[in-house]
Amino acid sequence: QVQLVESGGGEVQPGGSLRLSCVASEIVFSRSTMGWYRQTPGNEREMVATVANNGATNYAGGVQGRFIIDRDNAKNTVNLQMNYLQPEDTAVYYCSAEYDFNWVHQNYWGQGTKVTVSS
């Protein structure tokens, strides 16, 4: 069973920083584009940032310049450094791993970690 284990959520004041981490199994991590998504009540899950296994990154417009995604291939870990956090960043953040294998798209999710930005 594929597991993505997240850590690092919590509560922070506006303007503060948090760092999220996600560890995956090696076989999944090495094949996958890793990413972070977030979801608020009543809304669909939205992409925050992704990093492909060649290191190429992609960010949602609202976090560009504030968030940094990186992957540590030696530790099978993807991190999301979140700076200048704002109340609208409050959400449950999910780690994602996705890849294509034998023409089948595989997508795995972590259990979610809550981020609250509040004064």
Side-chain angles (χ1 to χ4, degrees), residues 95-118:
C95 177
S96 166
E98 57 183 318
Y99 62 93
D100 295 321
F101 183 73
N102 287 345
W103 301 280
V104 177
H105 186 71
Q106 308 284 351
N107 195 181
Y108 303 100
W109 296 96
Q111 78 281 3
T113 184
K114 189 170 184 179
V115 171
T116 302
V117 185
S118 174

Side-chain angles (χ1 to χ4, degrees), residues 12-109:
V12 66
Q13 293 186 341
S17 298
L18 282 174
R19 183 175 176 83
L20 306 181
S21 294
C22 171
V23 181
S25 61
E26 181 179 1
I27 191 169
V28 169
F29 188 87
S30 63
R31 294 175 172 179
S32 295
T33 290
M34 301 298 297
W36 289 95
Y37 290 69
R38 66 188 181 188
Q39 189 170 23
T40 54
N43 294 307
E44 292 187 358
R45 197 170 294 186
E46 63 176 7
M47 188 274 290
V48 176
T50 62
V51 56
N53 51 11
N54 66 1
T57 58
N58 186 36
Y59 294 92
V63 307
Q64 183 84 42
R66 299 189 297 124
F67 292 8
I68 300 171
I69 190 169
D70 69 271
R71 61 190 294 157
D72 185 335
N73 293 329
K75 297 181 179 179
N76 303 322
T77 299
V78 60
N79 304 302
L80 184 69
Q81 178 66 40
M82 303 186 294
N83 301 318
Y84 306 107
L85 283 159
Q86 300 301 315
E88 53 266 34
D89 296 316
T90 295
V92 177
Y93 284 70
Y94 295 90
C95 177
S96 166
E98 57 183 318
Y99 62 93
D100 295 321
F101 183 73
N102 287 345
W103 301 280
V104 177
H105 186 71
Q106 308 284 351
N107 195 181
Y108 303 100
W109 296 96

